[in-house]
Amino acid sequence: MTKAIRTKHIVAWIILSLVLPPAIGKAIVVLKKIERQKFVEAESVKRLPILVTSASDSNYEVSLLADTSNNYQIEWVNKEVPNQPSAILYKTNSGETPLDGAIEIGRVETKPVYYFPYKIETGEQEQRLLLYDIIHHTVLAKINLKP
Amino acid sequence: MSVSYQAVGWNRQKRIYDFILLGFCFIYLVLFITFTLVFNPEATFETLLIRSTSTLALLLLHLILCIGPLCRISPKFLPLLYNRRHVGVTMFCFAAVHGIFSIIQFHALGDINPIVSLFTSNTRFDAAASFPFQALGFVALLILFLMAITSHDFWLHHLTPKVWKTLHIMVYLAYFLVIMHVMLGVIQYETHPVYIVIIIAGTLTTGVLHVITGIKEHIKDRKRFRLEQDGFVKVCGIDEIEEDRAKMFCIDNERIAVYKTQQKLFAVNNVCKHQNGPLGEGKVIDGCITCPWHGYQYLPQNGSSPPPFKEKVSTYDVKIEGSEVWLNPRAYPEGTERPGAIIDITK
């Protein structure tokens, strides 16, 4: 290598060592803004027997299910094959986007039915859900489940 | 080394190299797909394709970036360097599969041109968590594409080594874009700490290797040779140079390799005409100085490649006084015959 090329390599690595650590750090810091829970696969979950409430659209039907021990579950039924390859279902209190304190419920892809465990806090009446396209960052559906 | 251009100048070493490379890629893909299906049986074919090719390309990119400094640390790694451009092109192919299928999967279903959709569907450049990470990957893929299509010696010759090397240094920009594509993309959704640890370990290893070798090279360049006599500089003792090997000295910002072979010392410019490889780290094979990177050869007495090859490097005067080697850093025009310095074995 000539001295000029060696210098270019050194300059490139000095710039990288200055820029990469804070950039990676920033990407890690923003991870914490979304509260997550483990996705549960449909096959490993039994459908809870009591239908609390449901809502539907031409593309989907979503139901809040429960059992006698106050365990809750969200059933998501794709009526049509979704246009988006992958979307995340969030529980949201008042926010318009998932970053506003939303809780992840699960990932909705192209399967016909999904079941996700669900928690209802004491005193909560209305359950607001948000289906969010994580690739295009657009809200696909806003769902209100009223008992 | 080839007198005319061929798509690939195959030889036994290159076949072995590529066989091992493709075998590694195949095993990696099989293992990745198997483990993914075991731990996530719901994974679709598209997901498996996109993720297996992307992780393999990322792994190969780290390997490519580490080969250079590893070879500076130990010559044992030089075989990895011999056909590095094949690793580069292989890496680009896997990255391209990832990129093309991702664009089809995520952007080809709408009524907007998929490339336009990639750049316009998300414009949240102000939010790190929602940053349009796909655009970063797309730009990196373009850089890797430019590097892959110009990787052949035809382009090296026609662009000149200086321009070619400058173009290929853009791999560092591509590397930054790829790392941020991963950190702002899949890492935001697959938040298991092991993925973050893998990425940090990869960047840290690559960075540390480059810093260590950068310092090592800087120290070589900083060594001062002060004793001057009629333009000659005392550089070392005769015994410090092994037979059919060289020692490299940096004088007036120019690296010069002093070779000992056939009871003589010869001095040539350290920079190989092919890809600027370090001739001083090679050895004499069949009477020719042989570059450790890709085997380009030069005659020690005149710095010319043996016919029919046409590469030439500068030569220098070297003399022996007692047991000391003296070097004149004034370069002769490339290919100039020099007598060398005879080593008197009776002394």
Side-chain angles (χ1 to χ4, degrees):
Chain A
M1 253 192 270
T2 60
K3 191 171 172 70
I5 293 172
R6 276 198 300 280
T7 306
K8 282 178 188 170
H9 277 276
I10 291 167
V11 169
W13 275 105
I14 289 171
I15 294 170
L16 274 182
S17 57
L18 290 174
V19 172
L20 257 182
I24 291 175
K26 176 72 178 172
I28 293 170
V29 167
V30 296
L31 285 176
K32 295 172 183 169
K33 290 194 176 172
I34 304 171
E35 191 179 334
R36 291 159 194 276
Q37 68 178 53
K38 186 173 166 54
F39 297 157
V40 178
E41 304 304 336
E43 281 73 7
S44 61
V45 178
K46 279 189 177 177
R47 187 182 193 274
L48 298 185
I50 304 165
L51 175 64
V52 181
T53 179
S54 70
S56 66
D57 184 80
S58 57
N59 296 321
Y60 62 84
E61 181 173 347
V62 58
S63 305
L64 178 61
L65 307 171
D67 62 11
T68 49
S69 310
N70 279 339
N71 293 316
Y72 292 93
Q73 187 181 59
I74 291 288
E75 179 189 57
W76 181 278
V77 178
N78 279 322
K79 290 181 178 174
E80 301 283 339
V81 177
N83 283 334
Q84 75 287 343
S86 184
I88 304 279
L89 187 65
Y90 292 93
K91 177 181 180 179
T92 175
N93 294 323
S94 57
E96 291 293 303
T97 71
L99 291 181
D100 301 326
I103 299 169
E104 261 185 26
I105 306 299
R107 188 189 291 263
V108 174
E109 295 182 334
T110 52
K111 287 196 309 180
V113 185
Y114 290 88
Y115 294 97
F116 305 113
Y118 192 74
K119 274 185 188 171
I120 294 181
E121 302 297 332
T122 313
E124 276 185 350
Q125 294 295 316
E126 192 178 55
Q127 301 301 315
R128 292 181 183 178
L129 305 181
L130 204 66
L131 186 66
Y132 193 73
D133 183 336
I134 57 175
I135 302 299
H136 302 96
H137 294 282
T138 50
V139 176
L140 300 169
K142 291 179 183 176
I143 304 141
N144 286 351
L145 291 172
K146 294 175 184 173
Chain B
M1 199 168 180
S2 173
V3 72
S4 61
Y5 295 113
Q6 296 171 261
V8 180
W10 288 109
N11 58 31
R12 185 170 175 271
Q13 281 74 21
K14 283 188 183 177
R15 286 181 210 283
I16 293 171
Y17 193 109
D18 283 7
F19 179 76
I20 293 170
L21 171 65
L22 295 178
F24 169 79
C25 293
F26 178 75
I27 291 168
Y28 178 88
L29 291 175
V30 168
L31 287 176
F32 186 95
I33 291 168
T34 306
F35 276 103
T36 306
L37 287 175
V38 167
F39 292 107
N40 180 15
E42 294 302 308
T44 61
F45 170 75
E46 293 87 347
T47 303
L48 286 173
L49 184 72
I50 288 169
R51 293 200 173 179
S52 61
T53 50
S54 63
T55 51
L56 177 56
L58 186 63
L59 183 63
L60 289 176
L61 179 59
H62 278 91
L63 176 69
I64 291 162
L65 289 174
C66 289
I67 287 175
L70 283 173
C71 291
R72 317 299 305 171
I73 290 169
S74 168
K76 286 178 185 171
F77 293 102
L78 280 170
L80 286 174
L81 190 74
Y82 179 63
N83 218 15
R84 182 172 54 174
R85 67 179 81 182
H86 282 206
V87 190
V89 173
T90 306
M91 181 270 293
F92 166 73
C93 290
F94 284 114
V97 170
H98 164 76
I100 290 166
F101 276 90
S102 297
I103 289 170
I104 293 171
Q105 169 88 341
F106 300 122
H107 295 281
L109 297 173
D111 53 3
I112 303 173
N113 180 302
I115 305 297
V116 175
S117 168
L118 190 148
F119 284 99
T120 57
S121 59
N122 175 16
T123 53
R124 296 188 63 180
F125 290 94
D126 57 335
S130 315
F131 195 88
F133 67 95
Q134 290 179 319
L136 302 178
F138 186 82
V139 176
L141 192 61
L142 280 183
I143 294 171
L144 297 177
F145 171 70
L146 280 178
M147 291 176 62
I149 60 165
T150 58
S151 65
H152 197 275
D153 274 355
F154 173 85
W155 288 106
L156 173 63
H157 181 72
H158 285 85
L159 291 173
T160 73
K162 190 181 173 187
V163 173
W164 190 87
K165 278 276 176 189
T166 304
L167 171 69
H168 283 239
I169 280 177
M170 284 177 71
V171 70
Y172 296 131
L173 174 60
Y175 180 65
F176 173 76
L177 293 171
V178 166
I179 293 297
M180 294 320 295
H181 170 72
V182 174
M183 289 305 300
L184 297 173
V186 71
I187 293 290
Q188 298 295 318
Y189 309 115
E190 302 289 350
T191 55
H192 196 289
V194 75
Y195 302 121
I196 299 171
V197 170
I198 289 170
I199 293 292
I200 290 176
T203 50
L204 205 61
T205 305
T206 313
V208 166
L209 277 174
H210 277 268
V211 168
I212 288 172
T213 49
I215 292 169
K216 206 176 157 188
E217 295 298 305
H218 185 65
I219 290 168
K220 274 186 195 173
D221 286 345
R222 292 273 293 176
K223 192 172 178 185
R224 296 276 178 256
F225 300 94
R226 293 183 187 281
L227 275 176
E228 290 196 21
Q229 186 181 59
D230 301 329
F232 280 83
V233 178
K234 190 175 92 173
V235 287
C236 67
I238 297 175
D239 296 340
E240 290 178 50
I241 308 175
E242 290 176 44
E243 182 66 19
D244 289 334
R245 296 275 183 175
K247 237 177 126 65
M248 191 279 296
F249 307 99
C250 186
I251 306 171
D252 297 338
N253 287 331
E254 199 65 67
R255 287 186 171 191
I256 302 166
V258 178
Y259 263 90
K260 183 200 272 186
T261 182
Q262 298 165 352
Q263 301 304 318
K264 277 190 171 182
L265 294 178
F266 297 98
V268 297
N269 191 283
N270 190 60
V271 180
C272 178
K273 284 291 172 182
H274 176 225
Q275 277 195 26
N276 296 163
L279 290 179
E281 292 172 28
K283 58 184 172 185
V284 175
I285 299 173
D286 300 329
C288 292
I289 293 169
T290 306
C291 179
W293 282 12
H294 302 98
Y296 271 58
Q297 291 191 307
Y298 304 87
L299 293 165
Q301 62 272 25
N302 58 19
S304 301
S305 295
F309 307 108
K310 294 171 182 169
E311 287 78 12
K312 290 175 185 173
V313 292
S314 303
T315 50
Y316 301 84
D317 276 335
V318 60
K319 68 177 183 180
I320 298 169
E321 285 195 0
S323 60
E324 290 166 348
V325 179
W326 291 72
L327 176 64
N328 190 332
R330 187 173 59 87
Y332 284 94
E334 293 170 351
T336 305
E337 183 100 12
R338 301 309 304 150
I342 299 169
I343 303 169
D344 187 353
I345 51 171
T346 58
K347 286 185 182 176

